[in-house]
Amino acid sequence: MSNATFSFPIRVYYEDTDAGGIVYYANYLKFFERARTEWLRALGIEQDFLLAKDVAFVVRQVMMDNTKAAKFNELLTVQSQISSLKRASILFKQEIVNQVGQRVCSAEIKVACISLQEMKARAIPAEVTEVLKGVR
Amino acid sequence: MSNATFSFPIRVYYEDTDAGGIVYYANYLKFFERARTEWLRALGIEQDFLLAKDVAFVVRQVMMDNTKAAKFNELLTVQSQISSLKRASILFKQEIVNQVGQRVCSAEIKVACISLQEMKARAIPAEVTEVLKGVR
Amino acid sequence: MSNATFSFPIRVYYEDTDAGGIVYYANYLKFFERARTEWLRALGIEQDFLLAKDVAFVVRQVMMDNTKAAKFNELLTVQSQISSLKRASILFKQEIVNQVGQRVCSAEIKVACISLQEMKARAIPAEVTEVLKGVR
Amino acid sequence: MSNATFSFPIRVYYEDTDAGGIVYYANYLKFFERARTEWLRALGIEQDFLLAKDVAFVVRQVMMDNTKAAKFNELLTVQSQISSLKRASILFKQEIVNQVGQRVCSAEIKVACISLQEMKARAIPAEVTEVLKGVR
């Protein structure tokens, strides 16, 4: 696997499941975000610093396919890639696989860079873009 | 509005927001599910009875656009429609609007009927299909 | 019931349950907060206005007893009372009962008034205190 | 630190925070549960196996003090101890500290062993008790 893919493990806890005994569908979006955050961190970008400068990443679009249910206590892996990097947005391709390599969930998630003060789009900071170019 | 659209109010509590001051994106999926559940209930279908007969609805696919951030304490309305009804799945078209009528979020959500015991697709129970035909 | 008790209904959705088939314990704290928020709202106090003036209520202490599990799809009622009202904090006594009147959960929750900017305690605004005195 | 204390790291993600910019209070209970689960796992006890045998741990009582707010992106550590081990329940003493060693939150959490089928208390399995005795 090249440095163009970032892998991050997620354990399924009680909090993530529902009465069907499986992971509640909204929680996959939490898993995807944790993985994006840890990827940025691994690249030296800490989002609290960005937030302090009124730079936030918000999700604009989600396309998610749930292929196979994940269960309580499973160890999942989130695999993330950047499929497109624009001036003010990033398109991530993310996938969750279980311990036997089956795909649980896949998604394309478009993240936009915004100013929270003004609640409008802004360019991704140059230092972030620079770093992300290196993992495409 | 015909009976083909079901409206359900959602108040944004602290639990729904994040440090950006806005609704955390995964939580819209909770709002959409509450609205689907209340629609079924309004039509006389209680999902705990279905679950007791090993009939569960699980989300197979989500396409969601987040157009405008919703904030703490806003009163939102979820509007739901069925765009397609098949033997073993339902395609919902759902939208969240804020108090001044702006669209916050829209989604197409494909829900499949499964047996949790066997973890595989099964036909939607006839009594449910019958009722849903009436609101298409 | 006097105006000293505020009742608020909560429906248990899939999102609230876990793989044990029952409400996940942390979620009762969400239910309690929804009820406190709706009580304040019913009394004319909107917390987004307070937040805009850097006045926030944060929980300082929780004592919670879980007596009986609540299940998916149950309709619960949260009953809230104020047992003590101080200069900078409020002690709530809250209880969740199910549809057949059984106590699911009871709690004493101490809420402090803080300035988020300074992250320290501050007096509860006079207009809030005034209103809360009326429901003790 | 003896083997009587188990330390587990938790990163604060957007999902954990609220519009106040700090960790939402209910989420500390999730953090505490993750730490208990990982401690059991580190001791060789996997809760999905227990659940498959209708043995579940449910929280009966929570006493929690929130001393200091934790913020987005902080790295926290949960420290867990067992203060009392009975036939059908365990009393945990848990504490969350931040990166500079300040106490964020402390709790005493009473966990009971139940049969979910019968929804009543049952003895903790002997193999679990045996292992837990070793870390008291």
Side-chain angles (χ1 to χ4, degrees), chain A residues 42-53:
Chain A
L43 295 168
I45 301 161
E46 296 287 345
Q47 285 186 79
D48 51 348
F49 283 102
L50 294 176
L51 193 59
K53 293 190 285 185

Side-chain angles (χ1 to χ4, degrees), chain A residues 82-95:
Chain A
I82 292 176
S83 41
S84 160
L85 177 60
K86 297 205 169 140
R87 195 183 146 273
S89 70
I90 313 165
L91 186 63
F92 287 92
K93 207 166 154 21
Q94 296 186 281
E95 202 169 280

Side-chain angles (χ1 to χ4, degrees), chain D residues 2-134:
Chain D
S2 75
N3 74 342
T5 300
F6 179 77
S7 288
F8 184 69
I10 302 268
R11 177 68 68 170
V12 177
Y13 296 113
Y14 266 119
E15 66 185 87
D16 303 310
T17 59
D18 68 20
I22 57 180
V23 171
Y24 182 70
Y25 83 125
N27 294 333
Y28 291 116
L29 297 189
K30 295 184 178 181
F31 299 171
F32 285 129
E33 169 133 25
R34 290 181 206 169
R36 294 193 302 270
T37 296
E38 292 300 340
W39 194 7
L40 289 179
R41 187 190 324 286
L43 295 168
I45 301 162
E46 297 287 346
Q47 285 185 79
D48 52 348
F49 282 102
L50 293 177
L51 192 59
K53 293 189 284 185
D54 189 33
V55 176
F57 289 108
V58 297
V59 171
R60 275 279 178 260
Q61 200 164 52
V62 171
M63 291 172 64
M64 174 168 70
D65 277 289
N66 297 80
T67 333
K68 189 177 165 48
K71 294 195 168 167
F72 171 56
N73 215 31
E74 281 194 50
L75 183 59
L76 307 175
T77 303
V78 187
Q79 287 168 342
S80 306
Q81 292 183 307
I82 292 176
S83 40
S84 160
L85 177 60
K86 297 205 168 141
R87 196 184 144 273
S89 70
I90 312 165
L91 186 63
F92 287 93
K93 206 166 157 20
Q94 297 186 282
E95 202 170 281
I96 297 176
V97 294
N98 64 18
Q99 269 179 291
V100 292
Q102 293 165 314
R103 185 165 57 196
V104 164
C105 184
S106 59
E108 282 194 22
I109 296 177
K110 188 181 170 184
V111 172
C113 191
I114 67 162
S115 154
L116 283 167
Q117 301 291 346
E118 304 177 31
M119 269 298 160
K120 65 179 202 191
R122 48 149 293 161
I124 300 169
E127 65 271 28
V128 175
T129 303
E130 212 47 54
V131 160
L132 295 181
K133 274 181 187 162

Side-chain angles (χ1 to χ4, degrees), chain C residues 6 8 16 18 35 38 46 59 64-65 74 78 84 108:
Chain C
F6 180 77
F8 185 69
D16 303 311
D18 67 19
E38 292 300 340
E46 296 287 346
V59 171
M64 173 168 72
D65 277 290
E74 281 194 50
V78 186
S84 160
E108 283 194 21

Side-chain angles (χ1 to χ4, degrees), chain A residues 29-88:
Chain A
L29 296 188
K30 296 185 177 181
F31 298 170
F32 285 129
E33 170 134 22
R34 289 182 207 170
R36 293 193 302 271
T37 295
E38 292 299 341
W39 194 5
L40 289 179
R41 187 189 323 285
L43 295 168
I45 301 161
E46 296 287 345
Q47 285 186 79
D48 51 348
F49 283 102
L50 294 176
L51 193 59
K53 293 190 285 185
D54 190 32
V55 175
F57 289 109
V58 296
V59 172
R60 276 278 178 260
Q61 199 165 51
V62 172
M63 291 172 64
M64 174 167 71
D65 277 290
N66 298 80
T67 333
K68 190 175 164 51
K71 295 194 168 166
F72 170 57
N73 215 32
E74 281 195 51
L75 183 60
L76 306 176
T77 303
V78 186
Q79 289 168 343
S80 305
Q81 292 183 308
I82 292 176
S83 41
S84 160
L85 177 60
K86 297 205 169 140
R87 195 183 146 273

